[in-house]
Amino acid sequence: MHESAAQIFINAFLANNFVLAMFLGLCPFIGVSGKLETALPMGAATTFVMLVASLCAFGLNLLLAYFNLEFLRLIAYIVIIASAVQLVEMVLKKYSPALFRALGIYLPLITTNCAVLGVALFQTAREYDFVQSVTFAVGAGAGFTLALTLMASVRERLRLSDVPSVAQGTALSLMLAGILSLAFMGFAGLGG
Amino acid sequence: MSQAATTTWEEFMEGVWRQNPVFVMVLGLCPTLAVTVSAVNALSMGLATTFVLTCSCLLVSLLRKLIPKEVRIATYIVIIATFVTVVDYLIQAISLALYDALGAFIQLIVVNCIILGRAEAHASKHPPLTAVVNALGMGVGFSIGLFALGSVREILGAGKLFGFSLFGEHFQPWVVMVLPPGGFFVLGLWLLLFAAWGRWRQRRQGAAKGVTQHA
């Protein structure tokens, strides 16, 4: 468990990209990646929630371990994530109503984004310390944003091309994701 | 009596076929793609999810008149998380190898959209029996979807099914199928297949209608 912060970041960002290599957070990945303008804010919001969730989960885990209540971990984490999402929702609604409307149903759905809970669970399972946890959360969020942006750019391009009508929709998105994932396999081993 | 039986059967088949969570609604993708590297993993994940889904829907349906509307989502999540914790410890007790293979994805059942979706869209509006039947149907449909993916990936990627070798020792395994990209490709191909089949059936029905009109 002596990974340096840089290694953790690279691993979460590229080599073990949360979306394309670990299959976390696929619902928004397929759902919101239609347009580039919504992909970036979605990535930023998710990254922020990840960071908050990671910080809270770190503190909470110490507390639970102190009281020998580890079996409550999952329930406690999910409640914390739900509150963090609620917070982001209120801030966005106040300061950027247009963006709030554009993200629509996918904003509250960050609660059920497995990438966020994944960050909290993995950092606990790997026994990361405080700095490692924060780096991990930021790296994972950046990786999620990167995957979302890439996918959105490709899909914007694809709108102009002639695709057989049977393949349109989710099937095509999945094929694209497969090819992207194949490309990301080239990063394997980068984080050491 | 028979009418009631038919509606129950319809309710069950809703999730198994017409609204199949994997192939029709394309929900719960993360566990679908992540654990389906082998048929056994896929089936155990399907079973675990079915258990959580059924129990949560039963409880949500029983409590549906008590839960205040404003905090319903939070309540559902806590109910689901409770049952997932149960499953988590259960699998750990039954088979540690399986627990290691499925990894964090057992705990991630909490955020499987199918379960929350069913609790919100169905169980919160229907009596317990209907809710349980519907949840069971969805669970079975999800398991079928997982199995369809898991078996194809295991056969192509390892040349095996349930751990038994299928093609003899000269088979060159198609390794990419058990790696992450393979999950995307296989699900994409399944969806393509279903879309093409739907198209073909539509055309055939159209042709049949045309014939009767001419006659």
Side-chain angles (χ1 to χ4, degrees), chain A residues 69-141:
Chain A
L69 287 172
E70 275 100 346
F71 62 92
L72 283 178
R73 193 181 282 148
L74 196 58
I75 302 176
Y77 281 2
I78 197 80
V79 171
I80 283 218
I81 291 171
S83 332
V85 171
Q86 196 72 51
L87 186 77
V88 172
E89 208 179 327
M90 285 192 294
V91 170
L92 264 187
K93 201 174 181 179
K94 178 100 171 68
Y95 291 104
S96 174
L99 189 57
F100 180 75
R101 273 196 302 276
L103 292 177
I105 180 69
Y106 285 98
L107 195 59
L109 279 184
I110 297 181
T111 311
T112 52
N113 184 337
C114 21
V116 179
L117 186 61
V119 166
L121 288 177
F122 281 125
Q123 74 176 32
T124 317
R126 296 177 190 168
E127 294 170 6
Y128 283 162
D129 63 21
F130 185 74
V131 179
Q132 283 175 323
S133 302
V134 172
T135 330
F136 184 58
V138 174

Side-chain angles (χ1 to χ4, degrees), chain B residues 73-202:
Chain B
I73 300 288
T75 320
Y76 300 160
I77 287 259
V78 171
I79 291 176
I80 296 167
T82 312
F83 285 112
V84 172
T85 312
V86 171
V87 166
D88 189 50
Y89 280 88
L90 202 66
I91 294 184
Q92 221 167 335
I94 294 173
S95 163
L96 206 57
L98 188 64
Y99 184 78
D100 289 335
L102 295 179
F105 280 93
I106 302 172
Q107 301 188 333
L108 286 173
I109 296 178
V110 180
V111 285
N112 190 326
C113 347
I114 299 169
I115 303 180
L116 193 63
R118 276 297 98 185
E120 162 78 4
H122 194 276
S124 61
K125 300 185 187 93
H126 291 85
L129 186 69
T130 326
V132 164
V133 170
N134 184 279
L136 266 179
M138 282 287 160
V140 171
F142 184 63
S143 309
I144 291 175
L146 285 189
F147 181 69
L149 259 116
S151 49
V152 168
R153 284 180 76 185
E154 196 181 350
I155 290 173
L156 292 179
K160 292 174 182 171
L161 189 61
F162 289 112
F164 296 109
S165 190
L166 287 182
F167 304 115
E169 56 194 75
H170 295 297
F171 178 72
Q172 184 69 43
W174 203 359
V175 181
V176 74
M177 282 303 160
V178 288
L179 293 175
F184 288 115
F185 287 138
V186 174
L187 183 59
L189 284 176
W190 272 113
L191 289 181
L192 255 180
L193 198 70
F194 275 107
W197 184 59
R199 187 66 56 88
W200 176 78
R201 216 176 49 163
Q202 220 172 23

Side-chain angles (χ1 to χ4, degrees), chain A residues 19-21 23 176-186, chain B residues 179-182 184:
Chain A
V19 181
L20 295 169
F23 298 119
L176 275 179
I179 295 169
L180 278 180
S181 165
L182 210 56
F184 266 69
M185 277 177 63
Chain B
L179 293 175
F184 288 115

